[in-house]
Amino acid sequence: MAGGRSEVGHPFTGSESNRPPVGPESTEARADTPPPCLTHDPGPDHRPPLAADPDWPAVRLWRKETRARLIEQRCLISSGDRAAWSAGITERLNRLLSSHAKPLIGFYWPFRGEYDARAILAGLRDRGVRLALPVVVAKAEPLQFRAWWPGVAMTRGVWDIPIPAVGDPVSPDILLAPLVGFDSGHYRLGYGGGFYDRTVAALPIKPLCIGVGFALSRLASIRPQAHDVPMDVVITETDGPEHP
């Protein structure tokens, strides 16, 4: 995950099979900036900020190469392993999210082999949980979240990301962040856009940030920088709140 400074990344969008139908009013906007990544203000309980790294250009190149390798590896997961690992993530994520009383959860639209949280989240809606998807308003500006539910009218936003077609801005209590990579410090290698750094800073109340992905994305270190902040929790098929 990188905040503040951008890295070249992959589009943050659904695969062709995951894309919802859109009408003639859909936009096919594009941008020359990378897709959003989730992060947050670490708060008083986390380690102090890291010192600036004079070798940042080399770290940025390493992250770009590591990101590409991990995404390719993730796309090659067999259907059997994907189903089994996803079930493990679902069990842990459901346990964590069910412990919160009817929160508003900001989540991601899955692509390129990411864990798909939509089924579990749709089920939580039946218990009063509200859901929201991010919308890019402008380059270098905080994201806007709009309410989402199964069947809501969808369109395409920047980078072809499926987004609710209309809706007033909402402020999530919890954010789910897809993991490209992560380390034992809960630092997350994301897509490098930095949008969520600005977004969380602009929210009236800091949300709980949960990194979600497969354990094969674990790294010895993402080589965290001064602009990186850790996730509050990381969930994989083998990691959960009780397994830091």
Side-chain angles (χ1 to χ4, degrees), residues 210-222:
I210 304 173
V212 184
F214 300 111
L216 58 75
S217 299
R218 185 188 302 274
L219 298 166
S221 174
I222 73 154

Side-chain angles (χ1 to χ4, degrees), residues 125-149:
R125 277 196 78 252
D126 298 334
R127 306 182 206 171
V129 170
R130 295 169 295 151
L131 305 173
L133 283 171
V135 177
V136 175
V137 178
K139 182 178 179 179
E141 292 293 331
L143 296 167
Q144 179 185 102
F145 282 85
R146 294 179 187 169
W148 177 90
W149 60 90

Side-chain angles (χ1 to χ4, degrees), residues 98-123:
S98 296
S99 67
H100 294 265
K102 300 181 179 180
L104 172 59
I105 301 174
F107 72 105
Y108 60 92
W109 196 272
F111 90 111
R112 300 200 68 182
E114 289 174 338
Y115 169 75
D116 188 348
R118 288 175 295 177
I120 178 179
L121 293 175

Side-chain angles (χ1 to χ4, degrees), residues 21 66 146 151 179 189 219 242:
T66 301
R146 294 179 187 169
L179 298 173
L189 179 65
L219 298 166
E242 71 280 17

Side-chain angles (χ1 to χ4, degrees), residues 52-66:
D53 188 343
D55 200 29
W56 166 243
V59 172
R60 182 168 54 189
L61 177 61
W62 175 85
R63 287 186 176 188
K64 178 181 178 181
E65 295 170 345
T66 301

